């Protein structure tokens, strides 16, 4: 009798598709949190596979800080048009204008933490009961604590010590009115897994992930892109470097690496030899040892 084997990428894909279908089965109004980064693109691709030949049965939600890479917004609009799905946009700028949040000041100011209020408002306004994210356990120690189904209380807050067991792949999505869940279908993927899968499936990604010429400034031990939102100090110099980004966030906080990796094959080789973490160039994570966990407890992605 012949045996049927799945390779490791097929196993990860199967697990993620199973979780996406569980979300659709257990919740009434789920959304995919879409940032235009490779992980949310991957989750969207997996959702497309999970429900093929039907289209993805739930909308995508983007929290727009107003400080995005232009390439990311263009990619977002293109993929929405291609898939024919709805897009929900929560605007941080509107939250600021409405007095819901106060914008930070100073050269290292960021709108990253301000996304929490905008996200929770968008979840409440649209009656979302499950927000599907692209978080992975290998990214950061706080994300390593997440379950596949991650419970949030009626204030949108996360308590890592009060999560439900997930024995034998049984997921409990029951919740009270006002509570919601976050679901993380690619929790068990590594950065290398993501790139190998993108290469295998030939998934389109923003050009920012490939090495390219860009004006940058050396700050906080990384190359920060020059932009209209960046406040330069007298000693800082804008230079042109060939860089690529391992992770995408706000243009004001996302650092790049000098690189020659301009193809998926070269990126995979480069990532295989790296020893620093994927989010090591994100200045928002350098504010404290527990910066990510503190934000997640308040309702962050």
């Amino acid at each position: 009798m012949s045996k049927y084997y799945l390779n490791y990428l097929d196993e990860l894909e199967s697990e993620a598709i199973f979780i996406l279908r569980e979300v659709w089965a257990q919740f009434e109004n789920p959304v995919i949190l879409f940032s235009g980064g490779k992980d949310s693109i991957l989750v969207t691709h997996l959702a497309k596979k999970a429900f093929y030949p039907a289209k993805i049965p739930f909308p995508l939600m983007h929290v727009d800080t107003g400080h995005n890479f232009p390439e990311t917004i263009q990619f977002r609009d293109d993929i929405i048009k291609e898939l024919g799905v709805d897009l929900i946009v929560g605007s941080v700028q509107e939250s600021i204008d409405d007095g819901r949040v106060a914008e930070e000041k100073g050269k290292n100011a960021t709108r990253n933490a301000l996304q929490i209020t905008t996200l929770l408002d968008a979840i409440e306004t649209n009656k979302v009961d499950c927000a599907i994210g692209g978080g992975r356990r290998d990214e950061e120690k706080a994300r390593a604590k997440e379950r596949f189904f991650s419970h949030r209380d009626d204030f949108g807050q996360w308590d890592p010590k009060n999560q439900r067991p997930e024995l034998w792949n049984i997921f409990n999505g029951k919740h009270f009115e006002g509570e919601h869940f976050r679901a993380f279908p690619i929790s068990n993927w590594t950065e290398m897994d993501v790139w190998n899968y993108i290469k295998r499936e030939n998934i389109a990604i923003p050009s920012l992930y490939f090495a390219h010429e860009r004006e940058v400034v050396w700050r906080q031990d990384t190359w920060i892109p020059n932009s209209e939102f960046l406040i330069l100090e007298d000693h800082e110099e804008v230079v042109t470097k060939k860089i690529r980004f391992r992770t995408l966030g706000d243009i004001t906080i996302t650092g790049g690496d000098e690189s020659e990796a301009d193809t998926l094959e070269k990126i995979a080789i480069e990532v295989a030899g790296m020893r620093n973490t994927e989010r090591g160039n994100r200045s928002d994570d350098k504010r404290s040892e527990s910066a990510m966990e503190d934000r997640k407890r308040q309702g962050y992605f």
Side-chain angles (χ1 to χ4, degrees):
M1 182 177 178
S2 62
K3 293 184 178 180
Y4 178 69
Y5 295 99
L6 294 175
N7 72 18
Y8 80 101
L9 286 179
D10 291 330
E11 290 181 358
L12 289 171
E13 177 191 74
S14 179
E15 178 183 65
I17 287 175
F18 169 69
I19 293 164
L20 285 163
R21 289 172 176 168
E22 276 292 300
V23 169
W24 182 237
Q26 293 197 38
F27 297 97
E28 295 183 0
N29 194 24
V31 299
I32 293 177
L33 296 174
F34 190 84
S35 66
K38 68 182 187 307
D39 296 321
S40 61
I41 293 169
L42 172 59
V43 171
T44 304
H45 177 83
L46 290 165
K48 182 180 175 181
K49 274 196 164 188
F51 302 102
Y52 184 84
K55 71 176 184 179
I56 298 173
F58 30 76
L60 274 56
M61 176 183 285
H62 179 221
V63 177
D64 183 0
T65 65
H67 289 175
N68 301 283
F69 286 92
E71 297 94 329
T72 305
I73 297 299
Q74 184 61 55
F75 189 93
R76 179 201 71 182
D77 295 342
D78 290 343
I79 200 170
I80 290 296
K81 184 177 180 181
E82 174 191 341
L83 296 176
V85 297
D86 294 330
L87 173 67
I88 299 170
V89 177
S91 171
V92 172
Q93 185 61 56
E94 288 185 7
S95 297
I96 294 170
D97 295 341
D98 293 342
R100 296 280 292 152
V101 293
E103 187 155 21
E104 293 183 3
K105 306 296 182 183
K107 80 163 190 175
N108 292 321
T110 170
R111 289 185 171 185
N112 199 41
L114 307 189
Q115 295 178 87
I116 297 170
T117 298
T118 305
L119 172 62
L120 295 178
D121 285 348
I123 286 173
E124 182 177 3
T125 299
N126 293 279
K127 294 180 170 52
V128 172
D129 54 0
C130 183
I132 307 164
R136 308 190 324 270
R137 293 187 177 117
D138 80 318
E139 285 184 280
E140 203 272 341
K141 56 184 178 294
R143 285 184 167 167
K145 300 178 182 180
E146 290 279 18
R147 304 288 172 88
F148 284 116
F149 275 26
S150 183
H151 177 261
R152 298 299 198 268
D153 64 20
D154 51 353
F155 291 102
Q157 296 179 329
W158 173 62
D159 181 1
K161 295 182 179 180
N162 188 28
Q163 297 297 309
R164 298 171 183 180
E166 295 180 340
L167 304 175
W168 307 294
N169 285 337
I170 297 175
F171 303 111
N172 179 4
K174 292 184 178 180
H175 57 283
F176 291 109
E177 183 72 26
E179 299 176 344
H180 74 278
F181 274 78
R182 309 285 171 87
F184 300 102
I186 61 171
S187 285
N188 286 336
W189 297 52
T190 66
E191 182 184 9
M192 196 67 188
D193 296 333
V194 171
W195 284 116
N196 284 333
Y197 188 80
I198 287 173
K199 181 173 176 288
R200 188 186 82 169
E201 300 285 305
N202 195 28
I203 301 172
I205 56 174
S207 60
L208 297 162
Y209 285 111
F210 300 100
H212 60 287
E213 298 283 342
R214 195 178 195 104
E215 288 188 349
V216 289
V217 176
W218 185 251
R219 179 182 291 181
Q220 292 186 319
D221 298 323
T222 189
W223 291 109
I224 299 293
N226 186 33
S227 70
E228 60 181 303
F229 310 112
L230 195 67
I231 302 174
L232 296 176
E233 294 197 330
D234 293 338
H235 68 277
E236 291 180 323
E237 179 185 3
V238 177
V239 297
T240 299
K241 294 281 185 180
K242 191 172 185 180
I243 63 168
R244 78 172 195 88
F245 299 96
R246 289 176 72 187
T247 179
L248 299 184
D250 269 10
I251 197 170
T252 59
I253 60 173
T254 304
D257 295 309
E258 290 190 68
S259 173
E260 295 294 329
D262 53 6
T263 66
L264 290 175
E265 291 80 5
K266 291 180 181 178
I267 289 175
I269 293 171
E270 183 178 86
V271 169
M274 287 183 164
R275 294 296 176 264
N276 59 323
T277 62
E278 182 178 357
R279 292 182 64 94
N281 283 346
R282 291 284 290 270
S283 61
D284 52 323
D285 288 352
K286 296 179 181 180
R287 294 192 168 194
S288 71
E289 281 293 319
S290 61
M292 171 64 84
E293 181 161 335
D294 292 341
R295 294 198 304 271
K296 284 179 69 64
R297 285 176 179 272
Q298 298 172 41
Y300 190 70
F301 301 101

